[in-house]
Amino acid sequence: MHLVSNLKKLITYNLSIISKFEHIQSAHCENGASAVLFHNQGVHISEPMIFGIGSGLFFAHMPFMKLNGMPVTGFRPLPGMIFTRAANKLGIKMKKVRFRNPEKAMEALDKNLELGIPTGCVVGVFHLTYFPAPYRVHFNAHNLVVFGKSGNDYLISDPIMGEFTTLSRKDLMRVRFAQGTAPPRGKMYWPVHIPQEIDLKKAIIGGIKKTCYDMQSIPLKYFGIKGIRFLASEIRKWPKRMEARKAAQYLGQVVRMQEEIGTGGAGFRFIYAAFLQECAGIFNDNRFRELSTQMTEAGDMWREFAVEAARLCKNREGQGVTYDSVSEMLMKIADKEEEVIRKLKDLIKTL
Amino acid sequence: MKKEEVPQDDKNLTEGKFRDLCYAVDENGNYVQVLSSGWEPKNIVIMQAWENVNELAEKARTDFKNGKVSPLVFHMERCQMDLKLLSAYTGFSKGKIKEHFSPAEFQKLTTSELEIYADAFGIKPEEINNV
């Protein structure tokens, strides 16, 4: 259905079907933009594989970093890191540029498009016209790929959309220069060198090592598995520290960060489990498959946490759900992830 | 999450524009991609966040109708902006914007100043007074 519709759109936009760019929908924009850029250069790597090689699995609860006036809870590293790490490990060289001047930024993009170079752009979604209204918030780390231009319309492959979309020059310029926290400043990126051969196994092992380090060994309480336990202890304090309504908002933000920003479900845990499953095939090693199953279980526990937390947000305390009970769920999640990561680290030592 | 468990709790939050791509396992335990039109816990927290925005916007609307503030406050709240962000989008200093919150000062705004505000809010200048 998508193929036919995309085809019709391409004909409308008068592009050669033979030289067509292939749009792929993904769960997460950063993985997805990378996948699409690599894919259209002949490097076919799935979203889970990019996520795994890019060491995307993470956790951080940071009261010192605020979004909407409330602490940021992250389930992945800083925006841009998955993509940078994945490209590095795969030996793919990327060019990245930022601009002070919006007009110059558009000129540079136009130049790339004239040369037939699909280009990744970091944008803010507040003014993203094709987004549904409830999703248009001041989030400035969204990734999309611009792959063509027709008159005043730019052809956009937005990884979270089912089909490709368009933006006018004015609208694209506006989202590339969105204001607020971490403004994109017209950032654009594209691959400039694809190696003849890619050592996928080496890239995977390196990616997993980094994930194990991030989850186990950062010596600060906010990050990794310690971070999950830290959040658990914070959650207990919220109803004591602030009025009920605010505590519910704090909890709501945790769930939104887990599920709203395109994580593929359960704060990226399912994507990581899919990655481990692919590794089982690549290494011909069933131990990966077993760990994939356990990571899926961790993901299911996060989903259950979200169900209970949302119930708490809606109804406040009652029916057996309290801030203490959801905190306890997080402690169990921390234990589970600790076990999976430990076994994963042991596994790659043997490879 | 199993394939058949992927939720389809459509509250029209995506306005039919897209569905979330999720990862779930099929009958053989293999990961597949499944589209979801929404999930109840997620819908709850998204709507909760918007309720807060709407409340602030409503207060600003009431203040405007009572002649206390100019329509700019309503639009600022509706757009989830604070003074700092509105200043970044308009190029006006925070102090100046605050002045423009007073109905009297707002009346003195030039056409081009109104256009700049309208652009920041994603509306046409003539729509600014639609509160």
Side-chain angles (χ1 to χ4, degrees):
Chain A
M1 190 182 78
H2 287 168
L3 273 169
V4 169
S5 174
N6 269 337
L7 224 55
K8 275 199 189 139
K9 278 189 189 176
L10 282 165
I11 294 165
T12 311
Y13 282 100
N14 232 357
L15 272 185
S16 157
I17 291 147
I18 296 151
S19 66
K20 80 178 188 297
F21 174 92
E22 192 175 348
H23 170 75
I24 307 170
Q25 186 179 5
S26 299
H28 188 66
C29 66
E30 190 175 330
N31 304 336
S34 319
V36 143
L37 284 173
F38 297 163
H39 178 77
N40 283 277
Q41 291 278 345
V43 177
H44 307 297
I45 298 188
S46 71
E47 172 180 27
M49 185 54 57
I50 287 180
F51 186 72
I53 291 173
S55 312
L57 187 83
F58 191 49
F59 184 84
H61 178 69
M62 299 171 286
F64 49 83
M65 201 186 252
K66 297 282 205 300
L67 178 68
N68 305 319
M70 297 181 280
V72 167
T73 305
F75 290 80
R76 39 138 310 141
L78 282 174
M81 297 208 74
I82 296 174
F83 172 63
T84 302
R85 289 172 184 172
N88 280 345
K89 294 229 160 41
L90 294 167
I92 295 173
K93 290 222 167 23
M94 303 291 303
K95 179 100 199 237
K96 295 182 218 174
V97 210
R98 276 194 143 138
F99 302 87
R100 280 205 197 109
N101 183 314
E103 284 293 340
K104 289 224 155 32
M106 294 306 285
E107 275 166 33
L109 177 63
D110 287 342
K111 208 168 176 183
N112 267 12
L113 296 177
E114 272 163 47
L115 295 168
I117 302 173
T119 305
C121 289
V122 182
V123 300
V125 304
F126 181 69
H127 281 119
L128 204 55
T129 45
Y130 58 75
F131 250 38
Y135 283 72
R136 287 170 59 171
V137 295
H138 297 284
F139 175 69
N140 287 332
H142 187 57
N143 289 272
L144 49 80
V145 174
V146 188
F147 65 94
K149 192 178 170 189
S150 185
N152 193 39
D153 283 342
Y154 286 82
L155 305 178
I156 311 284
S157 172
D158 186 317
I160 68 158
M161 303 295 284
E163 302 180 350
F164 77 83
T165 48
T166 61
L167 280 176
S168 69
R169 185 188 176 85
K170 180 179 178 216
D171 285 343
L172 181 55
M173 193 153 72
R174 188 146 64 160
V175 296
R176 289 183 69 194
F177 283 87
Q179 300 289 342
T181 308
R185 283 166 42 209
K187 184 172 178 186
M188 57 189 230
Y189 51 92
W190 63 100
V192 291
H193 169 75
I194 308 283
Q196 288 279 49
E197 280 181 35
I198 290 177
D199 188 345
L200 201 60
K201 284 186 181 176
K202 184 169 172 214
I204 289 171
I205 292 172
I208 293 178
K209 264 195 189 141
K210 179 77 175 115
T211 290
C212 291
Y213 176 83
D214 285 350
M215 289 298 282
Q216 285 179 323
S217 309
I218 298 177
L220 288 165
K221 65 182 177 184
Y222 312 107
F223 304 113
I225 294 172
K226 288 196 270 297
I228 303 175
R229 294 195 174 110
F230 172 60
L231 174 61
S233 73
E234 287 287 284
I235 283 180
R236 279 181 202 275
K237 297 177 190 163
W238 289 343
K240 297 174 186 134
R241 227 189 252 161
M242 56 191 97
E243 47 138 15
R245 195 182 152 169
K246 199 159 179 206
Q249 286 174 17
Y250 269 54
L251 193 55
Q253 175 138 304
V254 176
V255 178
R256 277 180 34 235
M257 309 227 60
Q258 178 187 321
E259 296 293 337
E260 183 188 14
I261 42 162
T263 69
F268 299 104
R269 271 65 186 147
F270 295 144
I271 294 183
Y272 203 74
F275 158 67
L276 291 175
Q277 206 171 74
E278 278 192 47
C279 290
I282 291 168
F283 287 91
N284 198 19
D285 190 331
N286 264 337
R287 291 176 297 171
F288 276 111
R289 204 165 164 105
E290 171 52 36
L291 289 179
S292 168
T293 303
Q294 289 190 36
M295 184 56 72
T296 301
E297 284 165 30
D300 288 334
M301 289 166 83
W302 277 108
R303 296 280 280 192
E304 278 156 32
F305 161 78
V307 169
E308 294 302 296
R311 201 168 277 162
L312 198 48
C313 289
K314 198 173 181 185
N315 303 320
R316 308 302 143 79
E317 295 202 337
Q319 298 171 330
V321 190
T322 63
Y323 283 84
D324 284 353
S325 69
V326 296
S327 166
E328 198 42 49
M329 292 176 93
L330 281 180
M331 292 299 280
K332 295 206 168 83
I333 290 171
D335 290 343
K336 181 76 177 179
E337 294 206 357
E338 190 168 50
E339 193 191 330
V340 178
I341 297 292
R342 185 180 45 81
K343 287 181 181 167
L344 190 53
K345 193 170 176 193
D346 288 342
L347 197 176
I348 55 166
K349 276 187 191 152
T350 69
L351 292 175
Chain B
M1 176 163 69
K2 299 202 178 69
K3 208 166 91 178
E4 53 275 10
E5 289 168 355
V6 174
Q8 305 298 338
D9 305 327
D10 194 348
K11 273 273 185 338
N12 202 35
L13 289 176
T14 57
E15 299 173 348
K17 287 175 175 165
F18 72 91
R19 286 182 289 165
D20 287 324
L21 194 143
C22 297
Y23 285 82
V25 292
D26 67 15
E27 344 34 84
N28 300 317
N30 293 325
Y31 263 97
V32 290
Q33 292 178 338
V34 184
L35 292 174
S36 161
S37 60
W39 190 35
E40 184 60 13
K42 186 171 152 174
N43 296 340
I44 289 172
V45 295
I46 290 176
M47 292 196 289
Q48 177 193 57
W50 281 104
E51 264 162 34
N52 297 329
V53 173
N54 290 338
E55 252 188 55
L56 290 167
E58 272 313 302
K59 167 142 199 319
R61 185 203 294 260
T62 309
D63 287 345
F64 166 72
K65 293 231 146 67
N66 291 338
K68 284 188 191 162
V69 295
S70 71
L72 295 179
V73 185
F74 168 77
H75 290 292
M76 183 180 76
E77 298 291 4
R78 174 181 70 80
C79 291
Q80 322 136 56
M81 292 184 186
D82 55 15
L83 273 175
K84 187 174 171 193
L85 190 50
L86 187 51
S87 170
Y89 267 115
T90 55
F92 301 143
S93 73
K94 285 189 274 189
K96 199 136 190 226
I97 296 174
K98 253 180 155 168
E99 278 175 33
H100 297 159
F101 284 169
S102 100
E105 286 305 311
F106 176 73
Q107 292 305 322
K108 297 180 192 164
L109 285 178
T110 63
T111 314
S112 72
E113 282 170 329
L114 280 170
E115 270 168 16
I116 290 172
Y117 273 120
D119 199 49
F121 298 137
I123 55 177
K124 300 197 183 84
E126 50 270 27
E127 290 174 307
I128 290 188
N129 278 304
N130 293 355
V131 170

